Amino acid sequence: MKILGIQVLRGPNIWSINRKKLIQMRLDLGEMEQRPTNLIDGFRERIEKLIPTLQTHRCSKGEPGGFLARIEEGTWMGHVIEHIALEIQTLAGMDTGFGRTRQTKTEGIYNVVFSYIEEKAGIYAAEASVQIAEALINNHEYDLETDIQRMRELREMERLGPSTGSIVAEAISRDIPWIRLNKSSLVQLGYGKNQVRFRATMTEKTNSIAVDIAGNKDETKRLLQDSAIPVAKGVTISDIEDLPDAIKKVGFPLVFKPLDGNHGRGATINVKTVEAATEAFEYAKNYSRRIIIERFITGYDFRVLVIDHKMVAAALRVPAHITGNGQDTVQQLIDKENEDPRRGYGHENVLTEITVDRDTLDLLAKKDYTLDSIPPQGETVYLKSTANLSTGGTSIDVTDLVHPQNVFISERISRIIGLDICGIDIMAENLTQPLPENGGVVLEVNAAPGFRMHLAPSEGLPRNVAAPVIDMLYPPGKDARIPIIAVTGTNGKTTTTRLIAHIVKSNGTRVGFTTSDGIYVQNTKLMKGDTTGPVSAEFILRDPTVEFAVLETARGGILRAGLGFNKCDIGVVTNIQEDHLGISDIHTLDDLCRVKEVVIGAVKRTGWSVLNADNKYCIKIANNADSNVAYFSMDEKNPVIKEHCKKGGIAAIYENGYITIKKGDWKIRVEKVTHIPLTFGGSVDFMIQNVLAATLATFLWGYKIEDIRMSLETFIPSAAQTPGRMNTFKFKEFKILVDFAHNPDGFNGIKAYLQTIEATEHVGVISGTGDRRDEDIKETARIAAQMFDKIIICQEKYLRGRDQQEIINLLIDGIHEIKPNMEIIINNNGNDCLKYIIATAKSGSYVTILSDTIDNAIVKVSEYLDKEFGV
């Protein structure tokens, strides 16, 4: 078996609108296409032995053991690999269960699709599942545990931490979109101008001065002490020479901790001798230049969490420890403790595995213990000097036990330091009594406190501490999203996108839009190239200046990675025609329809799907839409339009020379097409269709008819407004039209327009695209033969795996099918070709350059035009 490719789908896709995170593996089964599982001796026994938890997979049987029953009956290896990939992820702590395996139109080639939690672990699962299947087929031993551990490591490297992840999960539960901005914990919630950012548990509302204060433990202590907050007695030193004076001033027992430390790193507690103090100082020096020396306060370690200056949770933190039984060694007791199912690798479970480090050995040494010592029955042996969960500590929720005065103190501390999210470490006998009464003190204040101890305490009630964070970032009335209109289809996408963006912009809203020629915000092109995929969409949605997004959404991006957004307000499908067939398993218009339908599937239920009533595939999509539907049509007598409006529906139609909105029986005329420059005086039908789609979409959004009308009148087809779309250049003796039509439907649209143009000679410059079917290339040539008197083939680029001459021959064959004796000129150098056109153009001739055959044709033609007029 051979993996032909692995794609990561990160948004709504052809396999599932709701399950956005999928791995799609293209797999060649090879000889296994002829060997289903029931023909492989002992296969079921081996797979059940290696992965016994597959017994829980229900498969199509709908009951536990259903998948193994399918293996017994006989199923293909792609299906088996799908289930293996899902189960090994689950075994690695990433419980996921959606999968699909479908054969392509090529025998033996399958698309194996399954969900993932963390991307790199999902890719690893795809590759490992094939290796596991091959080992099982060949009855070879396989080390499954190595794969599972590797996926755990990949998960920990890639996943959001518990605190960050909890905030994201809470946002998702409130339908707030999110984007991860780096490989760490920097996250954007919301889109465009309505976005907010946070990193771990610091938000964009977090005061930078407050963070500096909290990071300086000495400064924190001074501010709190000056505000009558009880703190531990202590000093800060930098040199070992100052240690004796510090010990004399504070007095044993002591705590040493680095001034700039966190997570308990470099800290040593309960220091009682000068020798131990010297060691503790040197240890802390590894983490900070300045060292805090405080009086060691006996009591319990508490963490109080304050969000938006309100206390939301409190926990008793207990350092990692073991309890002796008089039989086992310290190491054996640690191993047994790590067998607790609540403990796991990294952050996978409520508790973290306990590891042995210098801190552990030092604490044992203070008790004259080693890892081989056997503690007596009932003795508690602490293994860490701090109670951090990341080092194996445990937590007990005590939120409901905190005395009101301690709540007041904690909330006051958050304001004194100035933190919106504040973790306060307290040492006290309890929190049920006011700190001044029981001698408790504040040890430090944390600017990015961990949430894990509150989200999943080892004892007590879990607290959803992420909820108040979202309440703070998105208070009632604040929207997280911006309007999104997504435009897809075969032809007309870019022009429709640009026209919608023009209407939005003309109505005073800052618009960001993506097209096949670049990314724009308002009037500025920010990125050049075909930007119609999910990365480009996310670029716009990340921009904090954007108030409205209009996103051209092409098939390639949907197939490659899914949509770059999870929901849109309006989805537009211009048409579905033959183009790009035979690529990426899209062989028919029904296949293509399924791809375009992804956009409509992402429309909000309260949103609108704008569809072409003159296209049967668009009508098919409308029948499956889970949103409001509106149609546009060139014919008001179209049966679909009549039936739709009869039921009170909304449509945009071309009638009596007008762009008209039809609501039920009412007509609202928007503008006469002859007054809309984009329609070229009403002579270009496909441009009228684009105007209908854009008019309907913006009307449904809520723009007034008069504002839409003004925008239509001011949208001028040109190299600036609509590059590559019907761009006409008027030379003194002839005209040149540049259009990027590249498929039969596009060519037919140009053909209809040219029939309205009088010229002494129609000259066409065409090329083919290598990744299209032979028939598609020949069909464009046949249409070209019908509209031109003379044809120049300039096959300079877009070979895409084909031989240049092969494409030229297909074009020649198509032309000669219509006009056997037609003269054809071959010039595969774009610059020479354009020079030849300019030099040989007859007076009154009309030259049409199609398919972007000449690189930067618009720029180069403009340069020739400037020279002719002496600009």
Side-chain angles (χ1 to χ4, degrees):
M1 294 183 290
K2 183 179 180 182
I3 297 174
L4 302 179
I6 295 176
Q7 293 171 256
V8 180
L9 307 178
R10 303 178 184 89
N13 53 77
I14 61 171
W15 301 102
S16 174
I17 295 295
N18 298 318
R19 295 176 179 88
K20 302 170 182 66
K21 297 172 68 172
L22 298 177
I23 298 291
Q24 179 179 321
M25 175 168 59
R26 191 172 175 83
L27 184 65
D28 183 352
L29 292 189
E31 64 176 15
M32 296 311 299
E33 173 67 4
Q34 309 305 321
R35 293 181 67 196
T37 52
N38 61 328
L39 298 183
I40 304 171
D41 290 341
F43 187 84
R44 171 175 174 162
E45 290 75 15
R46 291 195 292 274
I47 194 171
E48 196 168 5
K49 180 181 178 181
L50 182 67
I51 317 176
T53 49
L54 284 172
Q55 171 65 32
T56 62
H57 288 216
R58 296 170 174 267
C59 206
S60 56
K61 301 272 185 187
E63 58 187 29
F67 170 63
L68 294 176
R70 287 287 305 278
I71 288 178
E72 191 75 27
E73 295 166 2
T75 188
W76 271 260
M77 203 50 61
H79 181 212
V80 173
I81 287 168
E82 169 204 322
H83 280 265
I84 293 174
L86 289 170
E87 187 57 26
I88 61 177
Q89 287 184 88
T90 298
L91 292 172
M94 295 168 284
D95 192 6
T96 186
F98 175 83
R100 293 283 185 273
T101 298
R102 298 288 182 266
Q103 185 174 14
T104 68
K105 287 187 167 59
T106 305
E107 185 179 0
I109 307 295
Y110 287 76
N111 281 317
V112 179
V113 179
F114 58 88
S115 53
Y116 68 89
I117 302 298
E118 299 300 337
E119 187 173 303
K120 288 182 180 177
I123 294 171
Y124 186 95
E127 296 167 341
S129 61
V130 176
Q131 296 170 9
I132 293 168
E134 289 177 332
L136 291 167
I137 291 166
N138 297 313
N139 196 15
H140 292 163
E141 291 293 321
Y142 192 88
D143 183 5
L144 183 62
E145 189 55 40
T146 296
D147 281 340
I148 292 171
Q149 179 58 26
R150 180 55 184 157
M151 282 190 287
R152 284 179 178 146
E153 293 167 0
L154 289 170
R155 178 200 68 204
E156 290 304 302
M157 289 166 53
E158 190 176 8
R159 77 189 302 188
L160 293 170
S163 304
T164 310
S166 70
I167 297 172
V168 168
E170 180 65 21
I172 292 171
S173 74
R174 303 188 190 195
D175 197 28
I176 296 173
W178 69 286
I179 299 172
R180 191 171 184 174
L181 297 177
N182 65 6
K183 294 181 180 180
S184 186
S185 57
L186 182 61
V187 172
Q188 171 185 318
L189 299 179
Y191 289 152
K193 71 166 186 175
N194 291 330
Q195 67 179 265
V196 295
R197 295 177 184 176
F198 72 96
R199 186 200 300 270
T201 58
M202 285 197 295
T203 78
E204 62 180 36
K205 291 179 175 289
T206 303
N207 186 301
S208 61
I209 295 177
V211 174
D212 284 344
I213 293 171
N216 186 322
K217 295 178 175 60
D218 203 30
E219 184 76 6
T220 299
K221 181 186 289 188
R222 186 187 62 77
L223 278 175
L224 296 181
Q225 195 168 20
D226 290 348
S227 300
I229 303 293
V231 296
K233 181 181 178 182
V235 296
T236 302
I237 66 173
S238 301
D239 299 317
I240 191 72
E241 290 80 6
D242 297 326
L243 185 58
D245 286 342
I247 293 173
K248 184 177 179 179
K249 184 175 183 180
V250 180
F252 290 118
L254 299 170
V255 174
F256 285 72
K257 53 189 176 183
L259 180 69
D260 305 318
N262 54 45
H263 299 296
R265 297 186 184 96
T268 306
I269 65 170
N270 201 16
V271 175
K272 297 179 179 179
T273 67
V274 173
E275 293 77 11
T278 303
E279 289 182 14
F281 179 87
E282 294 299 338
Y283 179 48
K285 265 286 189 178
N286 294 323
Y287 296 89
S288 176
R289 188 178 64 84
R290 302 181 70 198
I291 311 303
I292 294 177
I293 303 174
E294 291 179 339
R295 180 82 176 181
F296 177 63
I297 307 296
T298 58
Y300 298 99
D301 186 346
F302 294 95
R303 163 65 64 81
V304 177
L305 181 64
V306 180
I307 296 176
D308 201 16
H309 309 302
K310 297 180 181 64
M311 194 207 85
V312 297
L316 168 63
R317 301 191 297 176
V318 182
H321 63 279
I322 54 170
T323 303
N325 59 13
Q327 297 178 354
D328 295 319
T329 67
V330 171
Q331 184 63 64
Q332 288 171 331
L333 290 169
I334 291 173
D335 294 340
K336 285 186 177 181
E337 179 63 28
N338 283 337
E339 291 174 2
D340 184 336
R342 295 177 302 168
R343 291 195 183 273
Y345 181 82
H347 294 145
E348 70 181 353
N349 289 339
V350 174
L351 301 176
T352 299
E353 293 176 350
I354 300 171
T355 58
V356 175
D357 58 11
R358 178 195 178 281
D359 190 25
T360 307
L361 298 175
D362 285 349
L363 288 172
L364 291 174
K366 288 178 180 179
K367 296 176 68 70
D368 293 326
Y369 279 1
T370 69
L371 292 173
D372 295 323
S373 300
I374 300 176
Q377 177 75 32
E379 181 183 2
T380 299
V381 179
Y382 288 100
L383 304 170
K384 304 291 178 184
S385 57
T386 60
N388 297 80
L389 266 66
S390 59
T391 60
T394 58
S395 67
I396 301 169
D397 178 72
V398 295
T399 305
D400 296 330
L401 303 178
V402 181
H403 191 279
Q405 187 172 340
N406 292 335
V407 172
F408 171 74
I409 290 172
S410 299
E411 293 177 350
R412 186 163 172 259
I413 288 171
S414 75
R415 292 188 182 275
I416 290 168
I417 304 302
L419 290 170
D420 60 333
I421 299 178
C422 178
I424 303 167
D425 291 343
I426 295 173
M427 184 66 69
E429 286 299 321
N430 58 65
L431 292 183
T432 58
Q433 296 175 288
L435 296 184
E437 291 183 12
N438 65 13
V441 296
V442 174
L443 298 178
E444 62 181 88
V445 178
N446 298 275
F451 285 0
R452 186 179 172 201
M453 70 186 77
H454 308 295
L455 295 165
S458 44
E459 293 180 38
L461 292 176
R463 306 286 173 169
N464 181 9
V465 294
V469 176
I470 299 298
D471 291 339
M472 176 180 67
L473 297 177
Y474 285 103
K478 181 176 179 179
D479 198 353
R481 296 178 179 270
I482 59 173
I484 298 175
I485 297 179
V487 182
T488 192
T490 302
N491 294 315
K493 298 187 297 295
T494 300
T495 301
T496 302
T497 296
R498 284 180 164 277
L499 181 52
I500 292 172
H502 177 75
I503 295 170
V504 172
K505 181 170 53 180
S506 298
N507 281 275
T509 301
R510 184 177 294 276
V511 63
F513 58 102
T514 62
T515 71
S516 59
D517 60 84
I519 298 175
Y520 298 78
V521 173
Q522 208 70 348
N523 300 316
T524 303
K525 180 188 280 192
L526 300 178
M527 195 172 292
K528 183 180 179 182
D530 187 348
T531 57
T532 56
V535 173
S536 303
E538 191 173 283
F539 182 99
I540 288 295
L541 299 175
R542 288 201 319 262
D543 192 312
T545 69
V546 172
E547 299 172 332
F548 200 122
V550 186
L551 307 173
E552 181 179 346
T553 309
R555 56 170 289 288
I558 297 173
L559 290 170
R560 186 170 58 254
L563 296 181
F565 50 90
N566 58 4
K567 289 183 181 178
C568 59
D569 299 274
I570 297 175
V572 180
V573 184
T574 56
N575 49 66
I576 295 177
Q577 306 288 353
E578 291 190 350
D579 193 20
H580 297 91
L581 299 182
I583 305 171
S584 302
D585 299 322
I586 306 303
H587 298 281
T588 67
L589 285 176
D590 282 318
D591 294 337
L592 187 58
C593 179
R594 190 162 59 95
V595 177
K596 304 296 185 182
E597 193 172 11
V598 172
V599 170
I600 299 305
V603 177
K604 297 176 182 176
R605 288 193 175 188
T606 55
W608 288 90
S609 297
V610 175
L611 297 155
N612 188 342
D614 300 332
N615 184 281
K616 67 177 183 179
Y617 295 98
C618 286
I619 297 168
K620 181 179 178 181
I621 291 175
N623 293 333
N624 297 326
D626 193 23
S627 61
N628 300 305
V629 172
Y631 288 107
F632 62 93
S633 173
M634 294 290 286
D635 180 11
E636 68 172 314
K637 295 180 181 179
N638 180 312
V640 174
I641 294 292
K642 291 174 69 175
E643 182 64 24
H644 179 68
C645 292
K646 185 179 178 181
K647 295 177 180 178
I650 300 176
I653 55 174
Y654 177 45
E655 55 88 32
N656 293 321
Y658 282 88
I659 300 295
T660 299
I661 298 292
K662 198 169 191 299
K663 296 179 67 176
D665 294 330
W666 292 87
K667 287 182 180 179
I668 307 170
R669 284 184 169 169
V670 180
E671 182 58 287
K672 203 167 187 176
V673 294
T674 53
H675 296 170
I676 301 174
L678 187 60
T679 70
F680 291 83
S683 64
V684 183
D685 284 355
F686 64 83
M687 285 298 191
I688 296 175
Q689 292 174 20
N690 295 336
V691 171
L692 288 168
T695 299
L696 182 56
T698 50
F699 174 79
L700 292 169
W701 177 250
Y703 289 120
K704 296 177 182 179
I705 292 295
E706 53 267 33
D707 293 331
I708 296 173
R709 179 187 302 121
M710 182 174 296
S711 300
L712 295 178
E713 291 172 352
T714 56
F715 189 71
I716 311 299
S718 62
Q721 291 270 41
T722 56
R725 274 75 187 175
M726 300 287 291
N727 301 147
T728 304
F729 300 86
K730 297 180 181 179
F731 288 76
K732 292 178 181 178
E733 299 292 331
F734 57 90
K735 296 178 182 178
I736 294 180
L737 172 72
V738 178
D739 192 277
F740 293 167
H742 58 277
N743 56 45
D745 188 61
F747 271 47
N748 277 321
I750 297 297
K751 174 186 168 186
Y753 171 66
L754 291 182
Q755 288 172 348
T756 68
I757 301 296
E758 291 187 9
T760 56
E761 181 181 47
H762 278 288
V763 178
V765 186
I766 68 170
S767 65
T769 305
D771 59 1
R772 303 304 198 271
R773 299 176 303 179
D774 289 0
E775 179 56 30
D776 295 332
I777 295 172
K778 290 174 71 173
E779 179 60 17
T780 57
R782 294 187 196 106
I783 299 168
Q786 296 170 35
M787 60 173 140
F788 299 128
D789 303 307
K790 176 182 175 181
I791 291 179
I792 303 167
I793 295 175
C794 182
Q795 193 64 52
E796 187 175 27
K797 51 184 179 175
Y798 299 132
L799 302 181
R800 296 179 182 175
R802 290 209 196 217
D803 179 73
Q804 183 184 60
Q805 192 58 48
E806 179 188 3
I807 300 175
I808 292 171
N809 290 340
L810 288 170
L811 292 169
I812 292 172
D813 289 346
I815 293 167
H816 283 164
E817 283 182 29
I818 303 301
K819 294 181 179 177
N821 299 319
M822 187 175 198
E823 178 188 2
I824 302 171
I825 297 169
I826 311 295
N827 188 332
N828 295 320
N829 182 293
N831 291 330
D832 290 346
C833 185
L834 187 55
K835 189 182 297 183
Y836 169 81
I837 292 167
I838 300 294
T840 61
K842 297 179 180 178
S843 177
S845 65
Y846 201 97
V847 180
T848 302
I849 302 173
L850 294 175
S851 306
D852 198 15
T853 52
I854 298 174
D855 199 24
N856 291 321
I858 294 172
V859 173
K860 291 173 182 176
V861 172
S862 298
E863 289 173 354
Y864 275 103
L865 189 63
D866 290 343
K867 288 178 183 178
E868 179 169 272
F869 287 94
V871 177

